[in-house]
Amino acid sequence: MAQVIHSIPELQKWSMDAKKQGKTVGLIPTMGFLHEGHLSLIDTARKNGADAIAVSIFVNPTQFGPNEDYDCYPRDFERDKALCESKDVDVIFAPAVNDMYAGDLTCWVQEEKISKGLCGLTRPIHFRGVTTVVAKLFNAALPDLAVFGQKDAQQAAVIKRMVRDLNFPVKIVVSPIIREESGLALSSRNKYLSEDEKQRALSISRSLHQAKAELENSQIDPETARLLVKESISAAGGIVDYVEVLDAETMLPRESPAVKHITIAVAAVFGKTRLIDNIQIKMR
Ligand code: PAF
């Protein structure tokens, strides 16, 4: 049985006790409505040595813009709890909004470079909310390591930078994207897609994989790959927010063509659902 903890002092105590017993505390921050992608983060935490595992389930209001889906974001705590228990999670941390945020909060954590482009352009307050809540979750769970998904590649890069710049004693592990057999990257927001939108959204993963194959065989250059992805998604009726070729380490534009480890990152809207995806490529 996983222990469900709602209060920050109780979670801090659990973590400190686990460490006193010589355990390595792993934190998997989530907003719940768990799927195989989240469960793979738990496996990654264990592979990286975590033997006391906390999963946080908290739909974080500060990372949603005023017209975004905070109110209707899917929630199913009992299902999430059963899934965590199937993975032998030790603790589920499920705070209430007013346990996490004082009504008169005036301190924020803000990364000021990596968070500005890509999703930061259309979601201007999003990453400030993410870095603030992740910093608070680190202070609550006191983890030795925390696992984030590669699907949110910009988020992972922003969090790594926060940890580096603010000296959090937490190892950040980034776990690979988990896809449906069709290629669609798993996301809690896939629930919003109709069957037709889901089929058309496959243009994202298909074109990313095609671009990767052609780039790795030196058949095309990165700009041609970018256009290939963009045009494939548009042809399938997706509204492209961005398709960018980036330095895979920083998620910033490549400083020079000598940077061979790249990520092609995508955000596109199908129907009313904004999807993100990316692929990493090692060019010759
Ligand atoms: O990736 C997510 O689900 C969220 O952005 C996170 C990291 C749990 C912070 O709310």
Side-chain angles (χ1 to χ4, degrees):
M1 282 287 273
Q3 186 185 348
V4 179
I5 294 183
H6 299 288
S7 93
I8 292 173
E10 208 186 318
L11 185 65
Q12 287 166 332
K13 182 173 180 323
W14 167 79
S15 179
M16 287 186 286
D17 287 349
K19 288 183 190 184
K20 269 188 216 141
Q21 291 165 30
K23 293 194 174 167
T24 299
V25 175
L27 173 69
I28 293 100
T30 83
M31 297 207 298
F33 210 69
L34 304 180
H35 50 63
E36 285 298 324
H38 296 110
L39 302 186
S40 76
L41 305 183
I42 301 171
D43 296 335
T44 299
R46 279 197 215 289
K47 278 189 208 127
N48 280 270
D51 51 5
I53 303 228
V55 172
S56 62
I57 297 180
F58 179 64
V59 184
N60 173 36
T62 64
Q63 69 189 72
F64 290 81
N67 299 317
E68 293 182 358
D69 55 344
Y70 174 70
D71 288 332
C72 63
Y73 193 84
R75 293 159 170 92
D76 189 342
F77 183 75
E78 287 309 317
R79 184 175 157 276
D80 289 345
K81 183 165 176 273
L83 286 169
C84 287
E85 286 179 341
S86 75
K87 284 285 182 187
D88 287 329
V89 163
D90 298 282
V91 158
I92 299 168
F93 178 52
V97 172
N98 52 13
D99 288 325
M100 286 298 279
Y101 292 108
D104 58 352
L105 167 112
T106 50
C107 291
W108 297 92
V109 178
Q110 172 115 43
E111 193 287 328
E112 296 197 342
K113 187 166 183 185
I114 303 167
S115 64
K116 295 297 176 197
L118 308 176
C119 292
L121 292 172
T122 45
R123 306 187 72 193
I125 63 158
H126 174 68
F127 287 110
R128 181 185 76 162
V130 169
T131 40
T132 300
V133 81
V134 170
K136 288 163 81 64
L137 289 169
F138 286 175
N139 286 334
L142 308 172
D144 297 296
L145 65 94
V147 187
F148 295 86
Q150 169 65 22
K151 189 175 86 62
D152 298 298
Q154 185 181 13
Q155 168 173 282
V158 166
I159 289 167
K160 278 197 210 155
R161 184 60 65 95
M162 174 188 88
V163 163
R164 187 199 78 175
D165 288 355
L166 301 183
N167 309 102
F168 280 95
V170 182
K171 176 180 168 191
I172 302 302
V173 181
V174 181
S175 195
I177 298 178
I178 304 294
R179 298 181 181 279
E180 286 184 2
E181 224 170 282
S182 65
L184 186 71
L186 295 193
S187 163
S188 304
R189 288 192 171 99
N190 291 352
K191 179 187 181 327
Y192 302 145
L193 295 168
S194 69
E195 207 38 58
D196 171 60
E197 287 161 358
K198 214 172 180 183
Q199 285 307 315
R200 291 188 291 112
L202 296 182
S203 56
I204 302 177
S205 55
R206 282 200 190 121
S207 60
L208 284 174
H209 281 98
Q210 185 188 346
K212 176 179 168 87
E214 295 186 12
L215 273 169
E216 285 181 347
N217 291 329
S218 309
Q219 285 166 267
I220 55 175
D221 59 33
E223 178 56 12
T224 310
R226 194 182 75 79
L227 293 175
L228 178 158
V229 173
K230 195 168 175 222
E231 281 156 19
S232 305
I233 297 169
S234 299
I239 309 294
V240 174
D241 180 355
Y242 61 77
V243 177
E244 295 293 344
V245 177
L246 303 148
D247 180 329
E249 304 303 327
T250 59
M251 291 300 284
L252 292 167
R254 290 194 301 162
E255 276 180 7
S256 84
V259 176
K260 299 289 185 195
H261 186 203
I262 61 170
T263 296
I264 306 181
V266 173
V269 179
F270 282 85
K272 289 195 168 122
T273 310
R274 185 173 181 279
L275 300 173
I276 58 170
D277 199 347
N278 66 84
I279 203 158
Q280 294 204 0
I281 299 155
K282 288 209 167 110
M283 294 190 300
R284 280 190 238 146

